[in-house]
């Protein structure tokens, strides 16, 4: 039995402006889901939904509903300024962002009634519009916005992950400071690969939903690659037929014989495989490939195995370098097509890294981690490599999910550092803009960078530029000049033709290293012109765990340096960077 002298005095706990009596405090503390770590103070409580929070602040927990404690909730209980109400309380901006991200229409400043199970309806209406907690990705969004979710929700990844989403951390992390890092970049810049690599490096397991989404993504992409090969096969077959007919027409013989001779060639597949080819190409044209594959990914595995043994398909596969629609990564998966489409297929770590994306929650993903003690010598002081007072939340958002004029960036007002990812190989690539017009991808990346840097939400925020895919740049720049991008028109390095391209001596850098440094300086100059501040830069190869680990540790150092300006100049670049002096 606890000592009565140590009990919380009820008169020091105010709920909706009213001091509690002993009976009310007992009811509050003994309910099914009581407030955690209740202390003397002023709180607000929505008895209908169970939302609970400190007076003047957003909700921090969802407790048992319909408790007869305190007074009626006040309009300004949480100091909201959105003109939108839930159960007569004007909600805060994070709550509004949560509703909007979940697809709940908030135009016209509606007033909602929300019940304990998350069912909601507009005030004055009888029809329930849906359940908030059933919305796709809602738990993840709440975690990013530090909003609570119902305690009965169970995350498929396990109890500890569910606790993290509720803002509750394990005891070994309880006293740590949470630093929020936002990872964003233009389409296919490598943010997903970096995020997945970070999960592996810091032993943050993938949830079952993430794992299944990745597996489905791999299998869907594989069928897409097969479709591109089928398109190529049809072209190669027609070209071969034309050549045979042309050759036969120039030879003496009975009229009409060339038509019979040129019916088939080495690119002609069997009728059974032709039916499969026509079906797959038709599905791809309908843009419903993922829908079809999600229910029958393994059903067509025998056909794919038969296809792989077909001579015509192999002849096409041997000319895959001529198919420009086929991405570089396709070779990795196509070589193991039969294995990947089996029912017992489990993606390896490398499969996961090469796969597109990570989830289906509007391109949004997050993880929490701490740095283990590094065993490598790096640019950080060894005393700082195992800081037990620091933990981090890495948040990845796809650029397509930012909305027009990057309006969703308002959600991330409490971000401590923005990690902007750039693919070093985008300088000669094209992508369609919002109006459907092709534009240089590096210029599109520059435009997005400007939009994010100048967004009011990130005023005075530090930025770390992640220059990714350096390994691919080393190969590409030998064949495709950097000047293909008009922004890089003045790149004209003096470099020995006898120099080894992989030379990493900063006193005699390779062409790729000079290109990296040049691009870094272009972005740093742009950043300074927009903000008057310095841009931090790190060179990364997303497929290499040490490279990602070093970049994220560098991000941690930047946060520490915020109050130590005298150290910034000497340690401005990560160890993967090139000093400005080397360019001259």
């Amino acid at each position: 039995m606890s000592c009565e002298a140590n009990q919380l005095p009820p008169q020091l706990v105010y709920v909706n402006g009213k001091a509690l009596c002993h009976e009310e405090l007992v009811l509050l503390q003994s309910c099914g889901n009581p407030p955690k770590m209740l202390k003397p103070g002023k709180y607000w409580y929505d008895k209908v939904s169970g939302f609970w929070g400190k007076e003047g602040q957003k909700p921090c927990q969802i407790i048992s509903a319909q408790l007869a404690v305190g007074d009626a909730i006040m309009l300004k209980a949480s100091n909201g300024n959105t003109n939108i109400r839930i159960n007569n309380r004007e909600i805060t901006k994070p709550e509004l962002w949560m509703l909007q991200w979940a697809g709940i229409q908030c135009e016209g400043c509606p007033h909602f009634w929300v019940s304990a199970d998350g069912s909601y309806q507009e005030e004055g209406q009888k029809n329930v519009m849906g359940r908030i907690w059933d919305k796709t990705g809602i738990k993840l969004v709440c975690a990013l916005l530090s909003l609570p979710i119902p305690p009965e929700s169970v995350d498929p990844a396990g109890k500890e992950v569910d606790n993290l989403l509720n803002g509750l951390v394990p005891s070994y992390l309880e006293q740590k400071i949470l630093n929020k890092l936002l990872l964003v970049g233009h389409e296919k810049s490598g943010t997903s690969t970096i995020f997945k690599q970070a999960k592996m490096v810091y032993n943050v397991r993938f949830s079952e939903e993430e794992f299944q989404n990745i597996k489905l993504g791999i299998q869907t992409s594989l069928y897409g690659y097969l479709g591109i090969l089928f398109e190529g096969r049809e072209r190669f077959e027609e070209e071969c037929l034309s050549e045979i007919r042309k050759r036969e027409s120039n030879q003496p013989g009975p009229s009409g014989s060339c038509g019979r001779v040129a019916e088939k060639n080495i690119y002609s597949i069997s009728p059974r495989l032709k039916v499969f080819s026509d079906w797959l190409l038709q599905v791809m044209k309908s843009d419903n490939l993922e829908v079809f594959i999600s229910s029958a990914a393994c059903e067509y595995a025998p056909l794919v195995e038969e296809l792989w043994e077909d001579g015509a398909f192999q002849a096409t596969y041997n000319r895959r370098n001529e198919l420009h629609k086929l991405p570089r990564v396709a070779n990795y998966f196509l070589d193991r097509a039969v294995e990947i489409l089996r029912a017992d297929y489990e993606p390896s770590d490398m499969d996961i890294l090469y796969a597109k994306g990570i989830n289906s929650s509007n391109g949004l993903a997050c993880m929490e981690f701490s740095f283990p003690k590094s065993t490598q010598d790096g640019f950080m002081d060894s005393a700082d490599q195992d800081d037990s007072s620091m933990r981090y939340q890495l948040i990845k958002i796809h650029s397509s999910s930012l909305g027009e004029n990057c309006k969703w960036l308002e959600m991330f007002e409490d971000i401590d550092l923005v990690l902007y990812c750039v693919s070093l190989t985008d300088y000669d690539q094209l992508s369609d803009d919002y109006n459907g017009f092709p534009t240089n991808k590096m210029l599109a990346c520059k435009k997005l960078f400007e939009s994010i840097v100048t967004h009011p939400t990130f005023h005075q925020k530090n930025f770390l530029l992640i220059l990714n895919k350096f390994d691919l740049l080393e190969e590409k720049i030998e064949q495709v000049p950097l000047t293909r991008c008009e922004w890089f028109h003045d790149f004209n390095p003096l470099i020995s033709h006898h120099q080894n391209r992989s030379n990493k001596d900063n006193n005699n850098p390779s062409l790729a290293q000079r290109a990296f440094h040049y691009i870094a300086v272009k972005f740093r100059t742009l950043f300074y012109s927009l903000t008057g501040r310095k841009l931090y830069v790190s060179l990364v190869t997303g497929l290499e765990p040490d490279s990602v680990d070093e970049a994220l540790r560098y991000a941690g150092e930047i946060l520490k340096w915020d109050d130590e300006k005298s150290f910034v100049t000497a340690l401005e670049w990560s160890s993967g960077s090139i000093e400005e002096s080397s360019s001259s």
Side-chain angles (χ1 to χ4, degrees):
M1 182 178 294
S2 59
C3 177
E4 189 171 329
N6 294 328
Q7 297 301 307
L8 180 64
Q11 67 273 18
L12 297 183
V13 178
Y14 288 77
V15 176
N16 296 338
K18 175 190 174 186
L20 299 186
C21 65
H22 177 74
E23 290 75 13
E24 288 176 314
L25 181 60
V26 170
L27 177 62
L28 187 63
Q29 293 181 315
S30 61
C31 67
N33 294 303
K36 294 179 173 60
M37 301 178 67
L38 186 63
K39 298 178 181 178
K42 296 182 178 181
Y43 302 89
W44 60 265
Y45 171 49
D46 178 351
K47 300 177 183 179
V48 179
S49 67
F51 278 110
W52 170 276
K54 292 184 178 180
E55 195 172 289
Q57 298 181 22
K58 64 186 178 183
C60 63
Q61 192 182 340
I62 299 177
I63 68 171
S64 299
Q66 305 298 338
L67 299 179
V69 297
D71 228 331
I73 195 168
M74 295 175 284
L75 177 65
K76 290 292 185 178
S78 55
N79 200 27
N81 58 352
T82 60
N83 293 320
I84 295 174
R85 300 181 189 179
I86 288 181
N87 301 343
N88 287 329
R89 174 181 62 88
E90 187 171 354
I91 64 174
T92 60
K93 272 193 174 181
E95 294 171 275
L96 171 59
W97 294 331
M98 179 266 289
L99 294 177
Q100 290 175 327
W101 193 272
I104 298 174
Q105 297 298 318
C106 296
E107 288 77 10
C109 303
H111 297 175
F112 295 105
W113 287 105
V114 177
S115 62
D117 66 355
S119 300
Y120 66 95
Q121 60 192 90
E122 281 199 47
E123 192 174 282
Q125 302 295 319
K126 294 183 178 180
N127 296 329
V128 174
M129 303 169 67
R131 292 181 74 244
I132 293 176
W133 309 121
D134 289 343
K135 302 292 183 178
T136 301
I138 194 66
K139 292 174 65 178
L140 179 58
V141 172
C142 288
L144 299 180
L145 298 173
S146 300
L147 292 174
I149 59 174
E152 64 271 16
S153 295
V154 178
D155 189 277
K159 183 177 179 181
E160 183 169 326
V161 174
D162 198 50
N163 285 340
L164 287 172
L165 291 174
N166 272 298
L168 304 174
V169 299
S171 57
Y172 60 88
L173 292 177
E174 199 165 335
Q175 301 303 319
K176 294 188 178 182
I177 301 168
L178 182 64
N179 296 276
K180 293 191 174 185
L181 312 174
L182 178 65
L183 178 62
V184 64
H186 195 259
E187 182 182 7
K188 296 184 180 179
S189 62
T191 55
S192 290
T193 302
I194 291 172
F195 184 88
K196 290 181 288 190
Q197 185 70 268
K199 294 197 80 162
M200 296 175 185
V201 169
Y202 304 122
N203 296 316
V204 179
R205 63 179 178 172
F206 291 92
S207 70
E208 184 61 26
E209 179 185 4
E210 289 174 334
F211 191 79
Q212 293 303 322
N213 280 330
I214 290 170
K215 179 179 177 179
L216 175 61
I218 291 172
Q219 293 175 330
T220 302
S221 296
L222 182 58
Y223 278 105
Y225 303 149
L226 291 175
I228 295 172
L229 287 169
F230 279 139
E231 289 177 340
R233 187 207 64 80
E234 291 182 349
R235 175 163 65 87
F236 296 154
E237 182 182 37
E238 184 58 38
E239 290 172 353
C240 190
L241 284 172
S242 297
E243 183 62 31
I244 292 174
R245 288 167 182 156
K246 181 179 178 181
R247 187 169 59 249
E248 291 293 325
S249 67
N250 294 329
Q251 294 179 357
S255 61
S257 63
C258 65
R260 290 192 298 273
V261 173
E263 284 297 326
K264 292 185 178 182
N265 56 59
I266 62 169
Y267 299 105
S268 300
I269 56 178
S270 68
R272 171 180 163 87
L273 293 179
K274 184 66 167 64
V275 171
F276 176 51
S277 171
D278 293 343
W279 170 82
L280 182 57
L281 292 176
Q282 188 62 40
V283 170
M284 290 177 65
K285 287 180 182 178
S286 69
D287 289 329
N288 287 323
L289 182 59
E290 186 171 342
V291 176
F292 280 92
I293 300 306
S294 62
S295 59
C298 301
E299 182 179 330
Y300 302 102
L303 274 173
V304 174
E305 188 167 359
E306 179 182 337
L307 179 70
W308 216 249
E309 296 174 355
D310 185 82
F313 185 80
Q314 283 299 318
T316 302
Y317 188 60
N318 291 336
R319 294 179 63 181
R320 62 189 178 278
N321 291 336
E322 300 176 42
L323 305 176
H324 301 301
K325 288 184 179 180
L326 200 63
R328 181 189 181 98
V329 72
N331 291 342
Y332 174 83
F333 291 111
L334 283 169
D335 288 340
R336 299 164 48 235
V338 175
E339 171 200 343
I340 288 171
L341 294 181
R342 287 177 181 150
D344 60 352
Y345 166 65
E346 295 290 332
S348 67
D349 285 354
M350 191 56 68
D351 292 351
I352 290 172
L353 290 175
Y354 274 124
K356 293 180 181 178
I358 185 171
N359 60 22
S360 58
S361 303
N362 296 319
L364 195 63
C366 76
M367 59 172 280
E368 291 194 14
F369 67 97
S370 294
F371 292 121
K373 187 170 184 178
S374 175
T375 58
Q376 297 185 353
D377 293 327
F379 57 85
M380 287 86 72
D381 189 290
S382 60
D384 294 331
Q385 292 187 12
D386 185 25
D387 191 338
S388 60
S389 67
M390 303 290 283
R391 64 187 180 96
Y392 300 86
Q393 184 181 63
L394 181 63
I395 304 163
K396 184 197 78 71
I397 184 169
H398 195 281
S399 58
S400 62
S401 301
L402 293 176
E404 188 177 359
N405 299 320
C406 298
K407 65 178 182 179
W408 287 111
L409 288 179
E410 292 182 355
M411 287 177 54
F412 306 105
E413 60 183 359
D414 59 346
I415 287 294
D416 297 297
L417 180 68
V418 180
L419 281 61
Y420 188 81
C421 189
V422 174
S423 170
L424 287 166
T425 58
D426 276 353
Y427 61 88
D428 72 324
Q429 302 294 307
L430 296 177
S431 64
D432 291 340
D433 61 16
Y434 286 112
N435 298 316
F437 296 109
T439 184
N440 180 277
K441 285 186 70 174
M442 187 62 76
L443 293 180
C445 176
K446 172 177 175 279
K447 183 178 179 181
L448 179 63
F449 180 73
E450 292 172 331
S451 298
I452 293 176
V453 166
T454 57
H455 197 280
T457 301
F458 295 145
H459 180 63
Q460 295 299 316
K461 298 283 187 182
N462 280 323
F463 275 71
L464 171 60
L465 180 70
I466 302 288
L467 293 180
N468 192 26
K469 304 184 183 180
F470 181 73
D471 55 330
L472 301 183
L473 176 68
E474 288 184 295
E475 298 177 16
K476 185 172 190 175
I477 201 167
E478 299 290 337
Q479 306 297 327
V480 184
L482 200 63
T483 51
R484 286 282 181 90
C485 175
E486 62 183 71
W487 191 30
F488 303 151
H489 67 91
D490 58 347
F491 178 69
N492 186 28
L494 297 175
I495 186 167
S496 170
H497 293 290
H498 303 289
Q499 181 178 328
N500 188 326
R501 73 179 184 180
S502 62
N503 183 5
K504 296 186 179 180
D505 180 1
N506 282 351
N507 293 322
N508 191 19
S510 68
L511 180 59
Q513 287 173 314
R514 287 181 179 270
F516 152 69
H517 183 268
Y518 170 87
I519 295 172
V521 170
K522 293 289 282 187
F523 273 97
R524 293 183 68 199
T525 302
L526 174 63
F527 185 79
Y528 184 81
S529 70
L530 296 171
T531 67
R533 295 182 288 113
K534 293 180 179 180
L535 175 67
Y536 300 95
V537 182
S538 185
L539 179 63
V540 173
T541 298
L543 293 175
E544 298 177 1
D546 289 345
S547 178
V548 172
D549 178 47
E550 182 177 319
L552 291 175
R553 286 180 182 273
Y554 183 50
E557 290 300 301
I558 293 170
L559 296 177
K560 295 177 186 176
W561 295 339
D562 206 26
D563 295 326
E564 302 173 9
K565 301 297 183 182
S566 61
F567 291 95
V568 174
T569 303
L571 299 174
E572 186 177 347
W573 294 69
S574 76
S575 61
S577 306
I578 305 172
E579 298 299 329
E580 287 189 44
S581 59
S582 67
S583 65
S584 56

